[in-house]
Amino acid sequence: MAMLKLFFLFMHVVSLLCLKSGSSFVAGFMQGVNETDRLALLAFKAAITSDPFGALNSWNESTHFCQWVGVKCGRRHQRVTGLRIDHKKLSGSVSPHIGNLSFLRNLWLRNNSLSGEIPPELSHLRRLREISLENNTVTGEIPTNLSSCSNLLVLEFSGNRLTGNIPAELGSLSKLEGLYIAKNNLVGGLPSTSGNLSSLTFIFATDNKIGGNVPDTLGGWKKLKALQLALNNLVGTIPFSMYNLSSIEILEVSENQIEGSLPSDLGITLPNLQVLTLASNLFTGSIPITISNATKLAYLFLGRNKFIGKVPSLKNLPDLKSIVDDLSFLDTLTNATRLSVVGLATNNFGGVLPE
């Protein structure tokens, strides 16, 4: 019995030693992993050539990197989960070493002067949810391998100098809710794979050089609230399936070469419409009477098309602030106290201005 007790005591001591050793191993391992994050952040800083506001001054050896300005870490593992350095006039490029921040979820670098290309190494960040490089001077193409970031919710690349096509591979981002690529130099067409973006809520692609037809597959955007495609080179017609997306609040396709007529039930199928801008296209036919059913409509721009006939009564649109087109309907706007702009230019409307 004494020998048995001695054996169990020995095993208990061995277990404690193993636990202590294991703890040291885990701690050492985590320190090594955290060092990867620290070095990645320092590489990011090294790629910055100008920091006029001293946004990165705290990025030094005197404090832990989780305390550096703009850096957010998770509580459990002390890994970098967020990097937010907006409005700091940073110049330089985005270091490819950012791709080593394997726990990164949010990357916000808006309103700086960053140049160079979007590093394809961002595709290593499988936890990434948001990328914002809005309003910089980034060049090159949108990396196709961003499709590997399957948890992406928001891509913000507006206000840069991006070129090339919208990658068809982005159609695999089933969780994507916002695609912001306005004010670039993107060409090509809207890829048909975009219709697979079933979670898409906002797409802002205004002021590019995007051409071709609007794909029929875009009618699958059942959650869409805003579609901005103005100032591009789009041709053909708007697929009628898109007029059935009842969630749409903003539909802007001005300054293209889109043709065709508007569906007669437009105001019924799009009851949440607040902004409708179709100006400077090749639309024909009449303006649907049902436009008055879209009672939330505030901005209506239809000028510089080939519409005919009369503009229907707009008296049921109390929020209307700006309109464009015919004549006799002006009588119905007596109580539109918020109205500030009326444009009638370049159409084929006739009649007499009401007193």
Side-chain angles (χ1 to χ4, degrees), residues 240 243-244 262-271 288-291 293-294:
F240 272 80
Y243 291 117
N244 290 323
L262 300 178
S264 60
D265 57 354
L266 175 70
I268 298 173
T269 59
L270 301 180
I289 295 175
T290 59
I291 196 74
N293 291 80

Side-chain angles (χ1 to χ4, degrees), residues 214-216 227 235-243 251 253 258-262 278 283:
V214 180
D216 291 338
L227 175 64
V235 298
T237 61
I238 295 178
F240 272 80
S241 58
M242 296 205 67
Y243 291 117
L251 177 58
V253 296
I258 297 174
E259 56 188 11
S261 59
L262 300 178
L278 309 178
F283 285 103

Side-chain angles (χ1 to χ4, degrees), residues 1 33 57 70 82 102 118 133 182 184-185 193 239 256 258 272 285 309 322:
M1 182 64 70
V33 171
N57 285 351
S102 55
I118 301 170
L133 294 172
N184 280 287
N185 296 306
T193 56
N256 281 284
I258 297 174
N272 294 302
S322 183

Side-chain angles (χ1 to χ4, degrees), residues 278-281 300-305 307 324-325 343-347:
L278 309 178
S280 299
N281 278 287
L300 177 62
F301 295 93
L302 305 175
R304 295 184 297 279
N305 279 288
F307 289 119
V324 175
D325 288 321
L344 311 174
T346 321
N347 275 291

